[in-house]
PDB file of all heavy atoms in Angstrom:
ATOM      1  N   VAL B 211     214.216 176.028 266.573  1.00 97.00           N
ATOM      2  CA  VAL B 211     214.088 174.972 265.569  1.00 97.00           C
ATOM      3  C   VAL B 211     215.015 175.214 264.451  1.00 97.00           C
ATOM      4  O   VAL B 211     214.971 176.329 263.829  1.00 97.00           O
ATOM      5  CB  VAL B 211     212.636 174.847 265.077  1.00 97.00           C
ATOM      6  CG1 VAL B 211     212.527 173.687 264.044  1.00 97.00           C
ATOM      7  CG2 VAL B 211     211.632 174.707 266.230  1.00 97.00           C
ATOM      8  N   LEU B 212     215.854 174.284 264.155  1.00 98.00           N
ATOM      9  CA  LEU B 212     216.735 174.399 262.939  1.00 98.00           C
ATOM     10  C   LEU B 212     216.232 173.248 261.979  1.00 98.00           C
ATOM     11  O   LEU B 212     216.204 172.070 262.336  1.00 98.00           O
ATOM     12  CB  LEU B 212     218.142 174.101 263.326  1.00 98.00           C
ATOM     13  CG  LEU B 212     219.124 174.067 262.141  1.00 98.00           C
ATOM     14  CD1 LEU B 212     219.125 175.319 261.366  1.00 98.00           C
ATOM     15  CD2 LEU B 212     220.570 173.831 262.626  1.00 98.00           C
ATOM     16  N   LEU B 213     215.783 173.706 260.803  1.00 96.00           N
ATOM     17  CA  LEU B 213     215.118 172.824 259.868  1.00 96.00           C
ATOM     18  C   LEU B 213     215.870 172.856 258.536  1.00 96.00           C
ATOM     19  O   LEU B 213     215.975 173.916 257.991  1.00 96.00           O
ATOM     20  CB  LEU B 213     213.713 173.384 259.738  1.00 96.00           C
ATOM     21  CG  LEU B 213     212.857 173.058 258.556  1.00 96.00           C
ATOM     22  CD1 LEU B 213     212.157 171.767 258.762  1.00 96.00           C
ATOM     23  CD2 LEU B 213     211.808 174.121 258.292  1.00 96.00           C
ATOM     24  N   SER B 214     216.369 171.703 258.111  1.00 97.00           N
ATOM     25  CA  SER B 214     217.010 171.734 256.763  1.00 97.00           C
ATOM     26  C   SER B 214     216.118 171.247 255.687  1.00 97.00           C
ATOM     27  O   SER B 214     215.180 170.463 255.911  1.00 97.00           O
ATOM     28  CB  SER B 214     218.273 170.873 256.873  1.00 97.00           C
ATOM     29  OG  SER B 214     217.917 169.570 256.415  1.00 97.00           O
ATOM     30  N   SER B 215     216.345 171.814 254.544  1.00 95.00           N
ATOM     31  CA  SER B 215     215.481 171.372 253.374  1.00 95.00           C
ATOM     32  C   SER B 215     216.193 171.797 252.107  1.00 95.00           C
ATOM     33  O   SER B 215     216.952 172.735 252.046  1.00 95.00           O
ATOM     34  CB  SER B 215     214.103 172.041 253.427  1.00 95.00           C
ATOM     35  OG  SER B 215     213.360 171.638 252.281  1.00 95.00           O
ATOM     36  N   HIS B 216     215.855 171.066 250.998  1.00 93.00           N
ATOM     37  CA  HIS B 216     216.307 171.536 249.691  1.00 93.00           C
ATOM     38  C   HIS B 216     215.250 172.201 248.941  1.00 93.00           C
ATOM     39  O   HIS B 216     215.454 172.651 247.830  1.00 93.00           O
ATOM     40  CB  HIS B 216     216.897 170.353 248.928  1.00 93.00           C
ATOM     41  CG  HIS B 216     215.965 169.278 248.593  1.00 93.00           C
ATOM     42  ND1 HIS B 216     215.457 168.348 249.460  1.00 93.00           N
ATOM     43  CD2 HIS B 216     215.339 169.018 247.433  1.00 93.00           C
ATOM     44  CE1 HIS B 216     214.627 167.605 248.861  1.00 93.00           C
ATOM     45  NE2 HIS B 216     214.505 167.964 247.604  1.00 93.00           N
ATOM     46  N   LEU B 217     214.056 172.333 249.552  1.00 91.00           N
ATOM     47  CA  LEU B 217     212.937 172.945 248.903  1.00 91.00           C
ATOM     48  C   LEU B 217     212.585 174.294 249.520  1.00 91.00           C
ATOM     49  O   LEU B 217     212.278 174.457 250.659  1.00 91.00           O
ATOM     50  CB  LEU B 217     211.664 172.031 249.126  1.00 91.00           C
ATOM     51  CG  LEU B 217     211.786 170.646 248.519  1.00 91.00           C
ATOM     52  CD1 LEU B 217     210.621 169.789 248.898  1.00 91.00           C
ATOM     53  CD2 LEU B 217     211.972 170.686 246.973  1.00 91.00           C
ATOM     54  N   LEU B 218     212.825 175.276 248.684  1.00 90.00           N
ATOM     55  CA  LEU B 218     212.623 176.695 249.096  1.00 90.00           C
ATOM     56  C   LEU B 218     211.172 176.916 249.645  1.00 90.00           C
ATOM     57  O   LEU B 218     210.986 177.467 250.681  1.00 90.00           O
ATOM     58  CB  LEU B 218     212.771 177.545 247.843  1.00 90.00           C
ATOM     59  CG  LEU B 218     212.370 179.016 248.028  1.00 90.00           C
ATOM     60  CD1 LEU B 218     213.290 179.746 249.053  1.00 90.00           C
ATOM     61  CD2 LEU B 218     212.364 179.775 246.681  1.00 90.00           C
ATOM     62  N   HIS B 219     210.187 176.378 248.940  1.00 89.00           N
ATOM     63  CA  HIS B 219     208.789 176.609 249.247  1.00 89.00           C
ATOM     64  C   HIS B 219     208.519 176.164 250.708  1.00 89.00           C
ATOM     65  O   HIS B 219     207.884 176.915 251.478  1.00 89.00           O
ATOM     66  CB  HIS B 219     207.960 175.844 248.299  1.00 89.00           C
ATOM     67  CG  HIS B 219     206.462 175.959 248.514  1.00 89.00           C
ATOM     68  ND1 HIS B 219     205.817 177.179 248.269  1.00 89.00           N
ATOM     69  CD2 HIS B 219     205.530 175.122 248.990  1.00 89.00           C
ATOM     70  CE1 HIS B 219     204.533 177.060 248.544  1.00 89.00           C
ATOM     71  NE2 HIS B 219     204.330 175.853 249.004  1.00 89.00           N
ATOM     72  N   GLU B 220     209.098 175.008 251.012  1.00 89.00           N
ATOM     73  CA  GLU B 220     208.868 174.428 252.329  1.00 89.00           C
ATOM     74  C   GLU B 220     209.464 175.311 253.460  1.00 89.00           C
ATOM     75  O   GLU B 220     208.842 175.522 254.476  1.00 89.00           O
ATOM     76  CB  GLU B 220     209.575 173.083 252.302  1.00 89.00           C
ATOM     77  CG  GLU B 220     209.184 172.084 253.266  1.00 89.00           C
ATOM     78  CD  GLU B 220     210.024 170.848 253.064  1.00 89.00           C
ATOM     79  OE1 GLU B 220     209.630 170.030 252.158  1.00 89.00           O
ATOM     80  OE2 GLU B 220     211.014 170.728 253.730  1.00 89.00           O
ATOM     81  N   VAL B 221     210.658 175.836 253.228  1.00 92.00           N
ATOM     82  CA  VAL B 221     211.280 176.634 254.234  1.00 92.00           C
ATOM     83  C   VAL B 221     210.681 178.017 254.336  1.00 92.00           C
ATOM     84  O   VAL B 221     210.416 178.522 255.433  1.00 92.00           O
ATOM     85  CB  VAL B 221     212.813 176.713 253.792  1.00 92.00           C
ATOM     86  CG1 VAL B 221     213.510 177.884 254.622  1.00 92.00           C
ATOM     87  CG2 VAL B 221     213.507 175.412 253.946  1.00 92.00           C
ATOM     88  N   GLU B 222     210.397 178.597 253.186  1.00 91.00           N
ATOM     89  CA  GLU B 222     209.874 179.936 253.065  1.00 91.00           C
ATOM     90  C   GLU B 222     208.562 180.144 253.964  1.00 91.00           C
ATOM     91  O   GLU B 222     208.306 181.120 254.578  1.00 91.00           O
ATOM     92  CB  GLU B 222     209.583 180.183 251.644  1.00 91.00           C
ATOM     93  CG  GLU B 222     209.060 181.541 251.320  1.00 91.00           C
ATOM     94  CD  GLU B 222     208.766 181.660 249.805  1.00 91.00           C
ATOM     95  OE1 GLU B 222     208.725 180.596 249.111  1.00 91.00           O
ATOM     96  OE2 GLU B 222     208.498 182.768 249.335  1.00 91.00           O
ATOM     97  N   GLN B 223     207.705 179.008 253.970  1.00 91.00           N
ATOM     98  CA  GLN B 223     206.411 179.104 254.617  1.00 91.00           C
ATOM     99  C   GLN B 223     206.585 179.102 256.117  1.00 91.00           C
ATOM    100  O   GLN B 223     205.571 179.483 256.786  1.00 91.00           O
ATOM    101  CB  GLN B 223     205.545 177.940 254.157  1.00 91.00           C
ATOM    102  CG  GLN B 223     205.302 178.013 252.690  1.00 91.00           C
ATOM    103  CD  GLN B 223     203.896 177.588 252.342  1.00 91.00           C
ATOM    104  OE1 GLN B 223     203.126 177.441 253.248  1.00 91.00           O
ATOM    105  NE2 GLN B 223     203.657 177.399 251.114  1.00 91.00           N
ATOM    106  N   VAL B 224     207.606 178.629 256.684  1.00 94.00           N
ATOM    107  CA  VAL B 224     207.694 178.392 258.120  1.00 94.00           C
ATOM    108  C   VAL B 224     208.894 179.095 258.806  1.00 94.00           C
ATOM    109  O   VAL B 224     208.746 179.362 260.019  1.00 94.00           O
ATOM    110  CB  VAL B 224     207.625 176.869 258.415  1.00 94.00           C
ATOM    111  CG1 VAL B 224     208.948 176.239 258.015  1.00 94.00           C
ATOM    112  CG2 VAL B 224     207.311 176.629 259.871  1.00 94.00           C
ATOM    113  N   ALA B 225     209.879 179.426 258.047  1.00 95.00           N
ATOM    114  CA  ALA B 225     211.094 179.884 258.651  1.00 95.00           C
ATOM    115  C   ALA B 225     211.079 181.400 258.937  1.00 95.00           C
ATOM    116  O   ALA B 225     210.672 182.189 258.102  1.00 95.00           O
ATOM    117  CB  ALA B 225     212.332 179.537 257.899  1.00 95.00           C
TER     118      ALA B 225
END
Side-chain angles (χ1 to χ4, degrees):
Chain B
V211 183
L212 176 57
L213 160 84
S214 90
S215 176
H216 64 284
L217 300 171
L218 169 69
H219 182 67
E220 203 179 275
V221 167
E222 184 183 9
Q223 298 219 11
V224 70

